[in-house]
Amino acid sequence: MSHIFLKASWVMVFVGGSLAGQTTPSVQSFFRQLARQPADSSLPTYDDVLKVVDEIPAATPDDITVALPVIVQALSHPNDGIKVDAAFALTAVAMRADSASLLEPHLAAINSLFDSANDRLQNSAVFIFSVLKPKPPQEIVPPLLNFLAKSDRDTHAQASAVGVLARYEPEDALVTTAIKNFLSRKLDPESRASAFNALRSTRVKPQIVDMIIAGLDDPNQGVRFTAVQVIPSLGRTALLQAQPALEKMANRPGETQDVKKYANEALAQIKGQ
């Protein structure tokens, strides 16, 4: 059964979840109609959405400004698929050089994604905040801290939030406490390794470095492998702080050769070799 998706200066027929048409709609037109769809309606295919989202990088600031209200409206749609499509469009906006100014009026709507039970939407919000250009506004910090403090959110998205906070506000005591509290939780190995990796090349406080160093003794090989790779990127002070644990790792019976290799490379870096 066909459903007329949009008919204006161009014609597009929404048939069985796929859009077929001779022209690609504007970003504003596409998401205006998407936001109006019934909750149980068929959705455009990924390729259809991609054709529209691909217009965003080259669009004028004015075109994006007029499109954003309807994209944000789609974020509150009861259908998660439509929300995901809208979040996808916002990630494309976030990667523009002028994204911080374009998205600043809509930060509250992006923040609302942290309250979604959908992992993809949580991850989208973190990604959007992580790439805002030329610089993220200060207003992103409180919602990220609040998100990181929750125990019922996707820990992989929270691990990514750790990296955003560490890069944006490494000296903030609230950020340090939030990261410490997160790393103190009983995380699955993949989430812990992701959090360590998100801290790569940051300049976090020594107490956070201590928690990454503790990862050198983690029972999970993936966590140990990530920790030993990340520590050298944290600077010479962190390397010196980790030296005893690195020496223990390099001489640990039964440790994998790959892990020992990185431990020895880190020790060589301390010695200036």
Side-chain angles (χ1 to χ4, degrees):
M1 180 177 179
S2 299
H3 174 69
I4 301 300
F5 180 72
L6 181 59
K7 187 173 182 179
S9 58
W10 50 277
V11 178
M12 185 168 280
V13 181
F14 202 18
V15 183
S18 178
L19 291 171
Q22 295 182 341
T23 60
T24 301
S26 71
V27 177
Q28 181 188 25
S29 298
F30 180 85
F31 281 98
R32 178 188 293 122
Q33 294 302 318
L34 197 61
R36 293 173 179 171
Q37 295 306 299
D40 59 351
S41 64
S42 298
L43 298 176
T45 66
Y46 173 77
D47 286 344
D48 294 324
V49 177
L50 186 60
K51 288 177 184 177
V52 176
V53 172
D54 276 349
E55 297 180 355
I56 290 175
T60 67
D62 286 345
D63 285 342
I64 298 300
T65 298
V66 298
L68 278 170
V70 293
I71 297 174
V72 167
Q73 183 183 355
L75 279 183
S76 61
H77 198 279
N79 187 309
D80 264 12
I82 289 177
K83 290 179 182 177
V84 168
D85 288 342
F88 180 36
L90 290 176
T91 63
V93 175
M95 289 187 283
R96 289 172 53 106
D98 54 357
S99 60
S101 60
L102 288 171
L103 290 175
E104 189 165 9
H106 305 287
L107 292 180
I110 298 169
N111 293 346
S112 71
L113 298 180
F114 290 130
D115 296 322
S116 170
N118 188 305
D119 296 352
R120 292 177 65 186
L121 294 174
Q122 295 172 40
N123 277 281
S124 294
V126 177
F127 178 81
I128 290 166
F129 284 164
S130 74
V131 297
L132 288 175
K133 299 177 181 66
K135 181 182 178 182
Q138 179 67 30
E139 289 82 358
I140 73 168
V141 174
L144 282 169
L145 289 173
N146 183 55
F147 175 60
L148 198 57
K150 294 183 177 181
S151 60
D152 60 348
R153 303 290 86 182
D154 178 55
T155 53
H156 300 286
Q158 290 177 312
S160 297
V162 163
V164 180
L165 288 166
R167 281 173 171 74
Y168 186 56
E169 289 288 359
E171 299 297 323
D172 190 314
L174 291 176
V175 168
T176 298
T177 298
I179 295 173
K180 272 186 64 177
N181 289 343
F182 179 72
L183 293 177
S184 297
R185 286 162 53 182
K186 189 176 180 181
L187 300 170
D188 64 89
E190 186 178 348
S191 295
R192 186 170 300 281
S194 294
F196 287 172
N197 201 46
L199 291 168
R200 187 185 296 268
S201 299
T202 60
R203 291 297 178 263
V204 288
K205 296 294 186 181
Q207 53 264 50
I208 304 300
V209 175
D210 275 337
M211 301 184 85
I212 301 175
I213 292 171
L216 298 176
D217 288 318
D218 194 275
N220 182 273
Q221 179 187 333
V223 173
R224 298 196 307 276
F225 188 70
T226 303
V228 75
Q229 287 183 301
V230 168
I231 287 167
S233 76
L234 303 177
R236 183 165 181 82
T237 300
L239 266 175
L240 293 172
Q241 191 175 335
Q243 185 171 1
L246 288 168
E247 290 173 345
K248 178 182 175 183
M249 171 176 271
N251 294 291
R252 181 183 295 144
E255 185 58 87
T256 67
Q257 290 304 310
D258 284 342
V259 169
K260 285 187 174 184
K261 171 179 174 288
Y262 280 102
N264 283 314
E265 287 179 358
L267 291 167
Q269 189 173 330
I270 291 173
K271 297 171 183 176
Q273 297 176 359

